[in-house]
Amino acid sequence: MRRFLSCRMTVLPGALAMSLWTSGAQAGGWPLEPGTGEVIVSLTRLSADERFGPDGTKRRTSRYTKLEVSPYAEYGATTWLTLIGEAAWARQKTEFFGTEHSDEDFTRLKAGGRISLGDWQKTRFSFQPIATLNLAATSDDPSATRSGDIDLELGLVLARSDTVWNVEMFSVQEIAWNYRDRGRPAEARADVTLGAKPWAGAMLLLKSLNTTALGSAAGGAPYRANKLAVSFVHALPEELAPGISLEAGMERTIAGQNTVHGTTWRLGLWHRF
């Protein structure tokens, strides 16, 4: 029964996006024009003092916080290929019965691309392979990733946009399988982004982020996480900061199994060139 509920929580956001698919607005599911790019530098802070157990119920645990800085970049190499890269640095702290443990390190490097496959039924289809080199372990990772571990994610991206009541709206769906080496379980990911541009220079994003292990981690337990996120992006005046936008938002784990239950606050600086 729990497995059925978990699958339903993953499928329902996709069905919601299908019903809201409503072309003009651009988002991460479309290729960039050759020679153009975008850089997003995100500052996030995760705070958690609860954890989802094997049965999905929440239980108290040691307080954990993680501050992360992650620059992300896309660059239009050709009309059909957009290159993708990301790096991350994190400082994490765990407080347990009056003792405190903290560390900081570069945690990952990502590289890949989004290959446009063409349009069908007003929907842009893309293939998105991403390789990740993990540089350090983090306490909120249920798969116990170690330094030197490599992930290879193969994803399908569906993107569609339209104008409704003079408001540009779009949806982007990502369905991916992630191979993980050194005995870590593979993962399945299903993310949905719904967006709207209520006025010039503004963008509202609502995301459903869902990840599940396709096997058991080293401790013998499977894991999954279902999150909701919302953020608001607004461009700064062109005469002051051309191509610059600011983002503010938050992310919350709403359900899970053998994973951290916490809230992440986000600030972002976007630069389009």
Side-chain angles (χ1 to χ4, degrees), residues 10-53:
T10 300
V11 171
L12 280 179
L16 175 63
M18 291 290 288
S19 67
L20 292 179
W21 262 359
T22 57
S23 254
Q26 298 291 301
W30 285 265
L32 295 180
E33 291 292 331
T36 66
E38 181 173 67
V39 176
I40 303 173
V41 180
S42 296
L43 173 66
T44 60
R45 185 182 186 276
L46 165 65
S47 177
D49 54 15
E50 291 182 318
R51 187 176 183 86
F52 290 102

Short mmCIF file of all heavy atoms in Angstrom, two decimals, residues 10-53:
data_model
loop_
_atom_site.label_atom_id
_atom_site.label_comp_id
_atom_site.label_asym_id
_atom_site.label_seq_id
_atom_site.Cartn_x
_atom_site.Cartn_y
_atom_site.Cartn_z
N THR A 10 4.31 10.43 -7.04
CA THR A 10 5.23 10.79 -8.13
C THR A 10 4.48 11.07 -9.40
O THR A 10 4.82 11.97 -10.17
CB THR A 10 6.24 9.65 -8.36
OG1 THR A 10 6.97 9.44 -7.16
CG2 THR A 10 7.20 9.99 -9.48
N VAL A 11 3.41 10.31 -9.67
CA VAL A 11 2.68 10.44 -10.94
C VAL A 11 1.74 11.63 -10.94
O VAL A 11 1.60 12.33 -11.94
CB VAL A 11 1.89 9.14 -11.21
CG1 VAL A 11 0.96 9.32 -12.40
CG2 VAL A 11 2.85 7.99 -11.46
N LEU A 12 1.12 11.93 -9.79
CA LEU A 12 0.13 12.99 -9.76
C LEU A 12 0.65 14.35 -10.20
O LEU A 12 -0.04 15.06 -10.94
CB LEU A 12 -0.48 13.09 -8.36
CG LEU A 12 -1.57 12.06 -8.05
CD1 LEU A 12 -2.07 12.25 -6.63
CD2 LEU A 12 -2.71 12.11 -9.04
N PRO A 13 1.87 14.78 -9.77
CA PRO A 13 2.35 16.08 -10.27
C PRO A 13 2.47 16.12 -11.77
O PRO A 13 2.20 17.14 -12.40
CB PRO A 13 3.72 16.21 -9.59
CG PRO A 13 3.63 15.38 -8.37
CD PRO A 13 2.78 14.21 -8.78
N GLY A 14 2.86 14.98 -12.39
CA GLY A 14 2.94 14.93 -13.84
C GLY A 14 1.58 15.09 -14.48
O GLY A 14 1.41 15.79 -15.48
N ALA A 15 0.59 14.45 -13.91
CA ALA A 15 -0.76 14.58 -14.43
C ALA A 15 -1.27 16.01 -14.28
O ALA A 15 -1.97 16.54 -15.14
CB ALA A 15 -1.69 13.62 -13.69
N LEU A 16 -0.92 16.64 -13.15
CA LEU A 16 -1.31 18.04 -12.94
C LEU A 16 -0.71 18.93 -14.02
O LEU A 16 -1.39 19.79 -14.58
CB LEU A 16 -0.85 18.49 -11.56
CG LEU A 16 -1.07 19.96 -11.22
CD1 LEU A 16 -2.55 20.29 -11.23
CD2 LEU A 16 -0.45 20.29 -9.87
N ALA A 17 0.58 18.72 -14.30
CA ALA A 17 1.21 19.56 -15.31
C ALA A 17 0.59 19.34 -16.68
O ALA A 17 0.42 20.27 -17.46
CB ALA A 17 2.71 19.25 -15.38
N MET A 18 0.22 18.09 -17.01
CA MET A 18 -0.42 17.81 -18.28
C MET A 18 -1.72 18.59 -18.40
O MET A 18 -2.05 19.15 -19.44
CB MET A 18 -0.70 16.31 -18.42
CG MET A 18 0.58 15.47 -18.56
SD MET A 18 1.41 15.69 -20.14
CE MET A 18 0.27 14.83 -21.20
N SER A 19 -2.46 18.67 -17.30
CA SER A 19 -3.73 19.37 -17.34
C SER A 19 -3.55 20.88 -17.43
O SER A 19 -4.42 21.59 -17.93
CB SER A 19 -4.55 19.02 -16.10
OG SER A 19 -3.94 19.53 -14.94
N LEU A 20 -2.41 21.40 -16.93
CA LEU A 20 -2.18 22.84 -16.94
C LEU A 20 -1.34 23.31 -18.12
O LEU A 20 -1.11 24.50 -18.27
CB LEU A 20 -1.49 23.26 -15.64
CG LEU A 20 -2.32 23.15 -14.36
CD1 LEU A 20 -1.49 23.58 -13.17
CD2 LEU A 20 -3.59 23.96 -14.45
N TRP A 21 -0.84 22.35 -18.94
CA TRP A 21 -0.04 22.76 -20.09
C TRP A 21 -0.83 23.75 -20.91
O TRP A 21 -1.91 23.46 -21.42
CB TRP A 21 0.27 21.54 -20.95
CG TRP A 21 1.61 20.99 -20.70
CD1 TRP A 21 2.55 21.45 -19.82
CD2 TRP A 21 2.17 19.85 -21.32
NE1 TRP A 21 3.66 20.66 -19.87
CE2 TRP A 21 3.46 19.67 -20.77
CE3 TRP A 21 1.73 18.96 -22.29
CZ2 TRP A 21 4.29 18.64 -21.17
CZ3 TRP A 21 2.56 17.94 -22.68
CH2 TRP A 21 3.82 17.79 -22.11
N THR A 22 -0.33 24.76 -20.99
CA THR A 22 -1.11 25.76 -21.66
C THR A 22 -0.40 26.37 -22.81
O THR A 22 0.72 25.96 -23.05
CB THR A 22 -1.44 26.84 -20.61
OG1 THR A 22 -0.27 27.36 -20.05
CG2 THR A 22 -2.42 26.32 -19.66
N SER A 23 2.58 29.00 -27.64
CA SER A 23 3.95 28.72 -27.15
C SER A 23 4.54 30.06 -26.95
O SER A 23 3.79 30.86 -26.91
CB SER A 23 4.39 27.89 -28.30
OG SER A 23 4.52 26.56 -28.23
N GLY A 24 5.90 31.29 -26.69
CA GLY A 24 6.37 32.44 -26.08
C GLY A 24 7.27 32.28 -24.90
O GLY A 24 8.40 32.67 -24.97
N ALA A 25 6.79 31.77 -23.79
CA ALA A 25 7.64 31.75 -22.60
C ALA A 25 8.74 30.72 -22.75
O ALA A 25 8.55 29.68 -23.35
CB ALA A 25 6.78 31.42 -21.37
N GLN A 26 9.90 31.02 -22.21
CA GLN A 26 11.02 30.10 -22.29
C GLN A 26 11.45 29.69 -20.88
O GLN A 26 11.37 30.45 -19.94
CB GLN A 26 12.21 30.76 -23.02
CG GLN A 26 11.91 31.14 -24.45
CD GLN A 26 11.75 29.92 -25.34
OE1 GLN A 26 12.64 29.12 -25.46
NE2 GLN A 26 10.59 29.79 -25.94
N ALA A 27 11.93 28.46 -20.76
CA ALA A 27 12.44 27.97 -19.47
C ALA A 27 13.51 26.94 -19.74
O ALA A 27 13.97 26.81 -20.87
CB ALA A 27 11.28 27.36 -18.66
N GLY A 28 13.91 26.16 -18.74
CA GLY A 28 15.01 25.25 -18.87
C GLY A 28 14.81 24.11 -19.84
O GLY A 28 15.75 23.37 -20.11
N GLY A 29 13.60 23.90 -20.35
CA GLY A 29 13.35 22.80 -21.26
C GLY A 29 13.60 23.12 -22.71
O GLY A 29 13.46 22.24 -23.57
N TRP A 30 13.98 24.37 -23.02
CA TRP A 30 14.19 24.79 -24.41
C TRP A 30 15.68 25.02 -24.66
O TRP A 30 16.42 25.42 -23.75
CB TRP A 30 13.43 26.08 -24.71
CG TRP A 30 11.97 25.88 -24.86
CD1 TRP A 30 11.27 25.69 -26.03
CD2 TRP A 30 10.98 25.88 -23.81
NE1 TRP A 30 9.93 25.56 -25.76
CE2 TRP A 30 9.71 25.66 -24.42
CE3 TRP A 30 11.04 26.01 -22.43
CZ2 TRP A 30 8.53 25.59 -23.69
CZ3 TRP A 30 9.88 25.94 -21.70
CH2 TRP A 30 8.64 25.74 -22.34
N PRO A 31 16.14 24.79 -25.92
CA PRO A 31 17.56 25.07 -26.22
C PRO A 31 17.81 26.56 -26.25
O PRO A 31 16.94 27.35 -26.62
CB PRO A 31 17.75 24.44 -27.60
CG PRO A 31 16.38 24.47 -28.22
CD PRO A 31 15.41 24.26 -27.09
N LEU A 32 19.02 26.95 -25.85
CA LEU A 32 19.42 28.35 -25.95
C LEU A 32 19.92 28.64 -27.36
O LEU A 32 20.43 27.75 -28.05
CB LEU A 32 20.53 28.66 -24.94
CG LEU A 32 20.16 28.56 -23.46
CD1 LEU A 32 21.38 28.89 -22.60
CD2 LEU A 32 18.99 29.46 -23.11
N GLU A 33 19.78 29.88 -27.78
CA GLU A 33 20.31 30.27 -29.09
C GLU A 33 21.83 30.12 -29.09
O GLU A 33 22.48 30.37 -28.08
CB GLU A 33 19.94 31.73 -29.38
CG GLU A 33 18.46 31.96 -29.62
CD GLU A 33 17.98 31.34 -30.91
OE1 GLU A 33 18.80 31.22 -31.85
OE2 GLU A 33 16.80 30.95 -30.97
N PRO A 34 22.40 29.66 -30.22
CA PRO A 34 23.85 29.50 -30.27
C PRO A 34 24.59 30.78 -29.88
O PRO A 34 24.23 31.87 -30.33
CB PRO A 34 24.11 29.14 -31.74
CG PRO A 34 22.84 28.52 -32.20
CD PRO A 34 21.74 29.25 -31.48
N GLY A 35 25.59 30.64 -29.03
CA GLY A 35 26.37 31.78 -28.58
C GLY A 35 25.78 32.53 -27.40
O GLY A 35 26.40 33.48 -26.91
N THR A 36 24.62 32.13 -26.91
CA THR A 36 24.02 32.77 -25.74
C THR A 36 24.11 31.82 -24.54
O THR A 36 24.28 30.61 -24.70
CB THR A 36 22.55 33.15 -25.98
OG1 THR A 36 21.76 31.96 -26.15
CG2 THR A 36 22.44 34.02 -27.22
N GLY A 37 23.98 32.37 -23.35
CA GLY A 37 24.09 31.54 -22.17
C GLY A 37 23.39 32.12 -20.97
O GLY A 37 22.85 33.23 -21.00
N GLU A 38 23.42 31.37 -19.89
CA GLU A 38 22.80 31.79 -18.64
C GLU A 38 23.58 31.18 -17.48
O GLU A 38 23.95 30.01 -17.52
CB GLU A 38 21.34 31.34 -18.58
CG GLU A 38 20.61 31.77 -17.33
CD GLU A 38 19.12 31.44 -17.41
OE1 GLU A 38 18.80 30.24 -17.42
OE2 GLU A 38 18.32 32.38 -17.49
N VAL A 39 23.85 31.99 -16.46
CA VAL A 39 24.51 31.53 -15.25
C VAL A 39 23.60 31.85 -14.07
O VAL A 39 23.10 32.97 -13.93
CB VAL A 39 25.88 32.20 -15.06
CG1 VAL A 39 26.50 31.78 -13.73
CG2 VAL A 39 26.81 31.86 -16.21
N ILE A 40 23.37 30.85 -13.22
CA ILE A 40 22.57 31.03 -12.02
C ILE A 40 23.41 30.63 -10.82
O ILE A 40 23.85 29.47 -10.71
CB ILE A 40 21.28 30.18 -12.05
CG1 ILE A 40 20.44 30.51 -13.28
CG2 ILE A 40 20.46 30.40 -10.78
CD1 ILE A 40 19.25 29.60 -13.48
N VAL A 41 23.68 31.56 -9.94
CA VAL A 41 24.41 31.27 -8.71
C VAL A 41 23.41 31.24 -7.56
O VAL A 41 22.79 32.26 -7.24
CB VAL A 41 25.51 32.31 -8.45
CG1 VAL A 41 26.26 31.99 -7.16
CG2 VAL A 41 26.48 32.37 -9.63
N SER A 42 23.25 30.07 -6.96
CA SER A 42 22.27 29.90 -5.89
C SER A 42 22.94 29.76 -4.54
O SER A 42 23.95 29.07 -4.39
CB SER A 42 21.41 28.65 -6.15
OG SER A 42 20.65 28.78 -7.33
N LEU A 43 22.36 30.42 -3.55
CA LEU A 43 22.76 30.27 -2.15
C LEU A 43 21.58 29.66 -1.41
O LEU A 43 20.49 30.25 -1.37
CB LEU A 43 23.12 31.63 -1.55
CG LEU A 43 23.40 31.65 -0.04
CD1 LEU A 43 24.65 30.85 0.29
CD2 LEU A 43 23.53 33.09 0.46
N THR A 44 21.76 28.45 -0.84
CA THR A 44 20.66 27.78 -0.16
C THR A 44 21.07 27.41 1.25
O THR A 44 22.25 27.17 1.55
CB THR A 44 20.24 26.50 -0.91
OG1 THR A 44 21.35 25.59 -0.98
CG2 THR A 44 19.78 26.82 -2.32
N ARG A 45 20.07 27.36 2.13
CA ARG A 45 20.30 26.92 3.51
C ARG A 45 19.22 25.92 3.90
O ARG A 45 18.03 26.24 3.95
CB ARG A 45 20.28 28.11 4.48
CG ARG A 45 20.63 27.70 5.92
CD ARG A 45 20.56 28.86 6.88
NE ARG A 45 21.04 28.50 8.22
CZ ARG A 45 20.29 27.92 9.15
NH1 ARG A 45 19.01 27.62 8.89
NH2 ARG A 45 20.80 27.62 10.33
N LEU A 46 19.66 24.68 4.15
CA LEU A 46 18.78 23.61 4.59
C LEU A 46 18.84 23.50 6.10
O LEU A 46 19.94 23.48 6.69
CB LEU A 46 19.20 22.28 3.95
CG LEU A 46 18.62 21.00 4.56
CD1 LEU A 46 17.11 20.94 4.38
CD2 LEU A 46 19.29 19.77 3.96
N SER A 47 17.69 23.40 6.73
CA SER A 47 17.62 23.21 8.18
C SER A 47 16.67 22.05 8.47
O SER A 47 15.55 22.02 7.95
CB SER A 47 17.12 24.49 8.86
OG SER A 47 16.97 24.30 10.25
N ALA A 48 17.12 21.08 9.28
CA ALA A 48 16.28 19.91 9.57
C ALA A 48 16.59 19.37 10.96
O ALA A 48 17.76 19.29 11.36
CB ALA A 48 16.51 18.82 8.53
N ASP A 49 15.56 19.02 11.71
CA ASP A 49 15.74 18.30 12.97
C ASP A 49 14.80 17.10 13.05
O ASP A 49 14.55 16.56 14.14
CB ASP A 49 15.55 19.22 14.17
CG ASP A 49 14.22 19.96 14.14
OD1 ASP A 49 13.33 19.57 13.36
OD2 ASP A 49 14.08 20.94 14.89
N GLU A 50 14.27 16.68 11.91
CA GLU A 50 13.44 15.49 11.81
C GLU A 50 13.88 14.67 10.61
O GLU A 50 14.54 15.15 9.70
CB GLU A 50 11.96 15.85 11.67
CG GLU A 50 11.33 16.48 12.90
CD GLU A 50 9.86 16.75 12.70
OE1 GLU A 50 9.49 17.22 11.60
OE2 GLU A 50 9.08 16.49 13.63
N ARG A 51 13.46 13.39 10.62
CA ARG A 51 13.81 12.48 9.54
C ARG A 51 12.63 11.54 9.29
O ARG A 51 11.95 11.14 10.23
CB ARG A 51 15.06 11.68 9.92
CG ARG A 51 15.61 10.80 8.80
CD ARG A 51 16.91 10.13 9.23
NE ARG A 51 17.49 9.35 8.15
CZ ARG A 51 18.29 9.85 7.22
NH1 ARG A 51 18.62 11.13 7.28
NH2 ARG A 51 18.77 9.09 6.26
N PHE A 52 12.38 11.22 8.03
CA PHE A 52 11.38 10.23 7.70
C PHE A 52 11.96 8.84 7.92
O PHE A 52 13.04 8.52 7.41
CB PHE A 52 10.92 10.37 6.25
CG PHE A 52 10.11 11.61 5.99
CD1 PHE A 52 10.69 12.70 5.37
CD2 PHE A 52 8.78 11.67 6.35
CE1 PHE A 52 9.94 13.85 5.12
CE2 PHE A 52 8.03 12.81 6.11
CZ PHE A 52 8.61 13.91 5.50
N GLY A 53 11.25 8.01 8.65
CA GLY A 53 11.71 6.66 8.93
C GLY A 53 11.36 5.68 7.83
O GLY A 53 10.82 6.06 6.78
#
